[in-house]
Amino acid sequence: MIGHDAVLADLSIELSAADLPQVQEAAARLPGGARVHVTALTTETHADRVATASELVTHGLTPVPHLAARRIASAAALGASVQDFAHAAAAASVFVIGGDPRTPAGPFASALDVIESGVLARHGVREVGVGGYPEGHPAIADDVLWDALARKSAALTDQGIAGSITSQVSFDAPAVLAWIARVREHGIMLPIRVGVPGPMGVARLLAFARRMGVASTASLARKYGAQLGGMLGTADPDDFLDALFAGLDTRVHGEVSTHLYTFGGLGATLDWIGAR
């Protein structure tokens, strides 16, 4: 089983504004200064996210607010959002995603557009996280993904902003390791956080996996190493992380750490971390 130090090494985790009542508990159970992503859900307001980020700062954690490019109406609106987080001492690090709307609300159709606009740099953002896709994207061609990732990395370097990549969920450790090696072969040396789902019910995990293209319980067990004994049980990422850490070679893969998605609930993920 993976060790405590491996799990906690530069760990990041995510929550939503709905988890605000659990921030104090999270602070007591995470390393001081741990990065905590504040997701940009359409069911929550910008003010909700700012309040959550402020509470994370109060409790000694490092908030990483998400900015959804296609939901931003203008460069001025982007600047105002960052400034709101800055007033809460929560704008040093942000994570930029494309967002769900098919039609952009303003001039930003992608995370790359936000970064290349220079707005983040002008408002004092010092670190920007971007997404990565170990098994591709259903709506974006691979060559487009690789070009965009390289351009994001170059733009951040040119603006003097530190960058990092957080991968979307994959249930296949060898595929993730191969993708990280390809990132490095493309000359992209940003630190990588491998996105891993925290523990959740088997039925929920399987439903999520099917949306990711994993067709059956047997296939999920083979890829993820999950012990799926029954639909009422719980699956955790231990086997996946064992395989990932066993295959990592810093000479090939560079700087790699873990990002935990809390699909099964923040409390369950905190319990899992504490048990390592």
Side-chain angles (χ1 to χ4, degrees), residues 131-205:
Y133 300 89
E135 298 187 68
H137 189 289
I140 305 175
D142 281 353
D143 59 338
V144 174
L145 288 175
W146 286 114
D147 178 67
L149 190 59
R151 289 176 62 187
K152 291 171 193 174
S153 177
L156 292 171
T157 298
D158 289 347
Q159 295 174 41
I161 297 176
S164 64
I165 303 167
T166 298
S167 74
Q168 291 296 309
V169 169
S170 170
F171 299 102
D172 189 336
V176 173
L177 290 165
W179 171 77
I180 296 171
R182 286 193 67 192
V183 172
R184 303 315 184 200
E185 289 167 3
H186 278 78
I188 301 166
M189 303 311 294
L190 299 178
I192 292 175
R193 301 179 184 279
V194 175
V196 181
M200 70 178 85
V202 169
R204 185 171 184 179
L205 177 64

Side-chain angles (χ1 to χ4, degrees), residues 25 54 73 103 121-122 126 167:
E25 177 190 0
S54 178
T103 302
R122 289 196 295 274
R126 298 195 297 272
S167 74

Side-chain angles (χ1 to χ4, degrees), residues 28 32 65 69 73 75 90 144 235 238 244 252 272:
V144 174
D238 281 6
L244 179 76
V252 175
W272 178 84

Side-chain angles (χ1 to χ4, degrees), residues 4-260:
H4 187 269
D5 290 345
V7 172
L8 295 183
D10 199 23
L11 172 78
S12 63
I13 191 171
E14 71 179 38
L15 49 69
S16 72
D19 297 308
L20 179 59
Q22 294 180 269
V23 167
Q24 185 171 356
E25 177 190 0
R29 302 172 71 179
L30 292 171
R35 291 175 175 84
V36 180
H37 287 223
V38 181
T39 58
L41 301 181
T42 56
T43 54
E44 298 165 353
T45 68
H46 174 65
D48 292 334
R49 291 188 285 275
V50 172
T52 303
S54 178
E55 189 73 2
L56 290 166
V57 172
T58 298
H59 289 284
L61 297 170
T62 302
V64 183
H66 285 205
L67 301 172
R70 289 193 289 274
R71 297 184 205 158
I72 300 170
S74 65
L78 172 60
S81 292
V82 176
Q83 196 62 39
D84 288 341
F85 285 114
H87 288 155
S93 300
V94 301
F95 188 82
V96 186
I97 59 174
D100 298 328
R102 293 193 177 189
T103 302
F108 307 115
S110 67
L112 178 62
D113 290 339
V114 170
I115 293 167
E116 289 186 335
S117 73
V119 172
L120 301 180
R122 289 196 295 274
H123 283 81
V125 174
R126 298 195 297 272
E127 181 180 357
V128 173
V130 298
Y133 300 89
E135 298 187 68
H137 189 289
I140 305 175
D142 281 353
D143 59 338
V144 174
L145 288 175
W146 286 114
D147 178 67
L149 190 59
R151 289 176 62 187
K152 291 171 193 174
S153 177
L156 292 171
T157 298
D158 289 347
Q159 295 174 41
I161 297 176
S164 64
I165 303 167
T166 298
S167 74
Q168 291 296 309
V169 169
S170 170
F171 299 102
D172 189 336
V176 173
L177 290 165
W179 171 77
I180 296 171
R182 286 193 67 192
V183 172
R184 303 315 184 200
E185 289 167 3
H186 278 78
I188 301 166
M189 303 311 294
L190 299 178
I192 292 175
R193 301 179 184 279
V194 175
V196 181
M200 70 178 85
V202 169
R204 185 171 184 179
L205 177 64
L206 183 58
F208 178 78
R210 283 174 175 156
R211 293 199 298 272
M212 302 287 291
V214 180
S216 69
T217 304
S219 178
L220 176 59
R222 185 171 61 253
K223 284 175 171 287
Y224 194 50
Q227 301 300 312
L228 306 181
M231 295 299 284
L232 297 179
T234 299
D236 63 46
D238 281 6
D239 289 350
F240 173 86
L241 288 172
D242 278 338
L244 179 76
F245 291 140
L248 283 174
D249 181 343
T250 56
R251 296 167 297 180
V252 175
H253 302 107
E255 185 178 344
V256 178
S257 55
T258 305
H259 177 78
L260 288 168

